[in-house]
Amino acid sequence: MRIVVVGAGKMGYSIAKLLADGSYDVVVIEQEDERRQVVKDSLDVLTIQGNGCSPEVLDMPEVRNADVFIAVTDSDEVNLVACRMAKAFGAKHTVARVRNEDYTDSEPLLLNKTLGVDLNLNPERITANEISHILMTPAALDVDDFADGKVRMFGARLPNDFKFLGVPLKNVRLPGNILIAMIFRKHRMIIPHGDDILEPGDNVYFVGSQEVIKKFEVNFESTYDKLERVLLIGAGRAGRMLAQMLEKQGVFVKVIEKDKERCRILSEQLNNGLVLCGDGTDIDLLTEEGITEADCVVCLTDDDKLNLLLALLAKHLGAKKTIVRVARNEYVDLMAKVGVDIALSARLLSAAEVMRFVRQGGIVSVALLEGAKAEALELQVQPGCKVDGKTLIRAKLPRECLVCGIVHDGEASVPNGQSMLNAGDRVIVFAQTEVVQDVMDMFAGNKTL
């Protein structure tokens, strides 16, 4: 599959890297030679210096008739025009980064109908949705639903009093047939086996039916109280979207933002929330506004280093939980090491959307875990594929993956070695990123877009 990425900025680089690591044939188009050279020197992709909207560039053999054309420059308008032009030059599917919601709010399908954009990528909305999802599950580091909500993945950091610490997993009996799908310990991924044990501070991903997982979450609620009050620092696009989402779910939102215009816009959008025009690093302001009373402090400024400083300052002043949005993927691990509860990379979240789109045809959903070190995939077993009609023990899947949920005839179950895989079943698989393509081949016969 040949995928063309227009724009070698931070997001374009992240998407190209993820696709190249997934063994796709990637072509990157970038006008600025310095940016292009960085991609050329560090990624196994073909680079072209030029304008992604230029007919001369789009008619090049390496670009014309692309399977997927992804435009992620800093300009919404350039991205939209590039996708429309690419369709004229034979691109089968197009993806455009469109941050301005004026283009999408009133008529969500207008871009597809008029410009042929198959996927609209809005990093701020994706980030706000993810933070809202996590906040509404207070004990979670990460939470994702699969199989139309029948199966839930719940990621949590183990407290010191978790009752199964030090017990070999073969002797652990979790309630309601819950499966431990993956363990991250000191940023090292462990596919769990019977002799592995759980340790305090592990990031552990549990999988089970949504109803059972909801009951299981109470084991971690001693760590965080029920969400009632949230303090947001930063009222950019993501901050404004998140504030409105949380308010609709009954959460009292207080927002601190330096920019007066941003404050004005958000104050008109909120009904009950409070918007303060001030400096989020002002200790007196944070103290006066009751930072210790907030159930969570979310740092969403445009500066990664400032977000880290704000989160650490919030912790120092007694904040119960901190969430930080970062742009640079490599900062995700650093944030966890210095005490930030949850760090989310907007680029990785957007890249996950692209990966899910690219891997259609057997792949139903994709979630990137722990800075893209692993993936949670929802696949549909294709008729005649390598695992069709086989039990898990006979399927010969890579050791670096684990099947942790099967939905057969609408019923979700946690499998064992004798569970059968049948065409049409939905299967939730956790896998190291390096073996994802091999797993896809076995389930879907390498069928993509």
Side-chain angles (χ1 to χ4, degrees), residues 94-379:
T94 60
V95 178
R97 178 168 79 165
V98 182
R99 303 173 69 188
N100 189 339
E101 299 221 322
D102 290 344
Y103 293 125
T104 56
D105 273 355
S106 57
E107 289 289 341
L109 299 178
L110 186 63
L111 296 183
N112 179 265
K113 292 177 181 177
T114 59
L115 297 176
V117 177
D118 298 300
L119 176 65
N120 166 30
L121 204 61
N122 186 328
E124 287 79 16
R125 180 163 292 280
I126 293 169
T127 302
N129 280 328
E130 182 70 12
I131 294 175
S132 174
H133 200 185
I134 292 173
L135 284 174
M136 300 317 293
T137 310
L141 290 170
D142 198 356
V143 59
D144 269 291
D145 291 329
F146 299 95
D148 301 322
K150 294 183 176 68
V151 178
R152 171 163 287 191
M153 175 194 77
F154 172 78
R157 184 170 295 129
L158 297 186
N160 293 329
D161 59 352
F162 188 64
K163 62 182 178 180
F164 295 114
L165 295 178
V167 180
L169 294 183
K170 60 187 176 185
N171 299 327
V172 171
R173 296 293 179 266
L174 294 174
N177 205 22
I178 292 173
L179 184 69
I180 296 175
M182 192 170 294
I183 302 168
F184 280 88
R185 179 175 300 148
K186 297 178 181 178
H187 312 291
R188 180 173 63 90
M189 175 182 162
I190 301 171
I191 296 288
H193 296 92
D195 293 327
D196 290 317
I197 63 172
L198 301 176
E199 297 181 2
D202 285 351
N203 287 356
V204 179
Y205 290 83
F206 302 91
V207 174
S209 68
Q210 190 176 93
E211 296 76 15
V212 171
I213 289 291
K214 283 182 177 179
K215 294 177 182 178
F216 180 67
E217 290 169 9
V218 300
N219 291 281
F220 301 90
E221 286 183 354
S222 59
T223 309
Y224 304 117
D225 297 328
K226 181 181 177 183
L227 189 75
E228 295 178 349
R229 304 169 67 88
V230 172
L231 175 63
L232 303 183
I233 303 178
R237 286 192 179 97
R240 295 196 295 271
M241 291 175 187
L242 179 59
Q244 294 175 76
M245 290 176 187
L246 294 176
E247 188 176 76
K248 288 177 182 178
Q249 297 179 84
V251 177
F252 178 74
V253 180
K254 189 177 289 187
V255 184
I256 298 176
E257 168 60 54
K258 291 177 67 174
D259 187 279
K260 292 182 179 180
E261 180 61 17
R262 286 182 173 183
C263 289
R264 183 193 64 78
I265 293 172
L266 182 56
S267 63
E268 293 174 355
Q269 295 171 337
L270 296 180
N271 296 317
N272 302 313
L274 181 62
V275 183
L276 303 169
C277 192
D279 186 351
T281 61
D282 186 335
I283 295 179
D284 291 335
L285 175 62
L286 294 174
T287 304
E288 289 171 7
E289 296 304 326
I291 191 170
T292 58
E293 298 171 5
D295 298 310
C296 185
V297 176
V298 185
C299 305
L300 293 170
T301 77
D302 298 324
D303 187 327
D304 285 358
K305 300 178 185 68
L306 179 57
N307 285 336
L308 173 58
L309 173 63
L310 291 168
L312 295 179
L313 184 59
K315 278 288 189 181
H316 174 71
L317 294 174
K320 301 167 187 173
K321 183 177 184 179
T322 55
I323 296 179
V324 170
R325 188 269 307 273
V326 296
R328 298 174 69 94
N329 304 342
E330 56 269 27
Y331 282 2
V332 173
D333 284 348
L334 172 64
M335 298 284 184
K337 288 178 181 177
V338 297
V340 174
D341 292 300
I342 298 173
L344 297 172
S345 165
R347 294 183 212 159
L348 281 178
L349 292 173
S350 299
E353 287 289 310
V354 173
M355 290 296 284
R356 179 168 58 189
F357 180 77
V358 167
R359 289 173 172 170
Q360 288 180 23
I363 296 285
V364 181
S365 182
V366 177
L368 301 185
L369 308 176
E370 302 288 330
K373 295 184 182 70
E375 297 182 32
L377 307 169
E378 180 183 343
L379 307 105

Side-chain angles (χ1 to χ4, degrees), residues 45-80:
V45 302
L46 174 66
T47 62
I48 297 173
Q49 185 177 6
N51 182 350
C53 297
S54 164
E56 183 180 354
V57 173
L58 292 171
D59 199 30
M60 295 176 69
E62 301 89 347
V63 181
R64 188 180 183 89
N65 300 321
D67 293 294
V68 184
F69 184 93
I70 304 169
V72 286
T73 74
D74 294 332
S75 168
D76 291 352
E77 291 75 18
V78 169
N79 295 336
L80 293 172

